């Protein structure tokens, strides 16, 4: 998701980066008696550097970096990224969002939770006798917001404030909230979990030999899903919420195979 959003900003001429904080696999070894220590010592893992993700229209660039999930490594990567890039995503596990301590609060400007978009309940069906219509209790937007928060966020309260949530639509179509949904999201914002926008979900992408490891973005030729227009609109809406003075793109970039015309 971060790569897709960053790709939109890249087409607008920004130099963007994605930092992925990941847990290294724990190494468990058994020392064989009689062998020297160096013979059973763990082999250090390869440290990856900055990697160019995509070829983007200049002057935009898109980069990524993997770092160990500890405060010192993340702080170093972010310090370098602030010097080199216009906008930076720091990606951590979604299930860590409740527990993150304040040590990272001084390193990041905004904190966003990416979560699947689920419909806001408008009624709770009640059991009924066989052959009768099912009764239901109608919910107010405030009640629906509490119901959604309990179901989706597990009733947890984050230790650090969120700038908001980015909801990912599971449907291929562009789902727009109606008046009831807007009222529910107003209540969610009151609970400290405002909705910054919705983003279209991509179909799964095949990985393997001779196949791209990247999810589709606006830097790829246009396909049925994802629609580039939805991706651009969602990324621009997010940027407008976070940085009201940021520029927006009016149309998708040309696909690499599109013909280029020159004035005659």
């Amino acid at each position: 998701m971060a790569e897709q959003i960053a790709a939109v900003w890249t087409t607008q001429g920004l130099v963007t980066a994605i930092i992925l904080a990941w847990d290294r696999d724990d190494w468990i070894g058994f020392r064989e008696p009689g062998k020297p220590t160096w013979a059973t010592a763990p082999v250090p893992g390869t440290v990856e550097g900055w990697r160019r993700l995509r070829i983007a229209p200049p002057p935009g660039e898109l980069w990524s970096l993997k770092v160990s999930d500890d405060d010192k490594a993340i702080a170093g990567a972010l310090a370098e990224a602030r010097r080199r890039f216009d906008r930076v995503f720091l990606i951590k596990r979604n299930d860590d969002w409740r527990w993150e301590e304040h040590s990272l609060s001084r390193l990041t400007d905004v904190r966003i939770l990416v979560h699947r978009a689920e419909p806001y309940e408008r009624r709770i069906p009640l059991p009924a006798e066989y052959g009768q219509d099912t009764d239901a209790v109608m919910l107010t937007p405030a009640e629906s917001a509490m119901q959604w928060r309990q179901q989706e966020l597990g009733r947890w309260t984050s230790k650090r404030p969120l700038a908001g949530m980015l909801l990912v639509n599971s449907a291929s179509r562009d789902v727009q909230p109606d008046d009831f949904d807007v009222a529910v999201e107003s209540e969610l914002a009151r609970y400290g979990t405002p909705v910054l926008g919705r983003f279209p979900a991509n179909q799964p992408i095949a990985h393997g030999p001779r196949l791209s490891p990247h999810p589709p973005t606006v830097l790829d030729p246009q396909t049925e899903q994802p629609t580039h227009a939805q991706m651009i609109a969602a990324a621009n809406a997010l940027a407008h919420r976070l940085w009201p003075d940021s520029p927006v793109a009016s149309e998708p970039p040309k696909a690499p195979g599109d013909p280029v015309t020159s004035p005659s």
Side-chain angles (χ1 to χ4, degrees), residues 32-47:
E32 183 177 342
K35 285 192 174 182
T37 304
W38 60 263
T40 56
V43 178
T46 303
V47 178

Side-chain angles (χ1 to χ4, degrees), residues 41 74 98-99 101 139 147 165 172-173 185 193 213 220 229 252:
I74 293 174
R98 312 178 189 100
W99 313 113
E101 298 295 340
L139 300 179
Q147 172 89 347
M165 298 185 295
S172 59
R173 64 185 185 279
E185 292 180 1
T193 49
D220 298 291

Side-chain angles (χ1 to χ4, degrees), residues 66-164:
K66 286 184 178 180
V67 297
S68 178
D69 191 8
D70 65 78
D71 288 357
K72 184 177 180 179
I74 293 174
L78 283 174
E80 180 183 0
R82 287 184 182 277
R83 294 191 298 267
R84 295 181 53 181
F85 306 109
D86 298 315
R87 290 180 185 166
V88 182
F89 279 104
L90 169 62
I91 309 300
K92 299 194 67 178
R93 287 173 36 171
N94 248 24
D95 54 0
D96 287 341
W97 73 277
R98 312 178 189 100
W99 313 113
E100 287 180 354
E101 298 295 340
H102 292 277
S103 58
L104 286 178
S105 62
R106 70 182 188 279
L107 304 177
T108 56
D109 298 320
V110 293
R111 186 162 172 261
I112 299 174
L113 175 66
V114 179
H115 192 76
R116 64 183 179 275
E118 294 291 345
Y120 302 128
E121 299 290 346
R122 307 186 182 211
R123 57 198 297 271
I124 298 178
L126 299 176
E129 296 294 336
Y130 179 76
Q132 295 182 0
D133 294 335
T134 302
D135 293 331
V137 174
M138 304 307 294
L139 300 179
T140 66
E143 293 168 340
S144 180
M146 181 60 72
Q147 172 89 347
W148 189 93
R149 202 175 189 282
Q150 289 180 330
Q151 288 182 345
E152 299 302 320
L153 303 185
R155 296 173 291 179
W156 292 102
T157 300
S158 175
K159 291 185 176 182
R160 293 178 52 212
L162 287 172

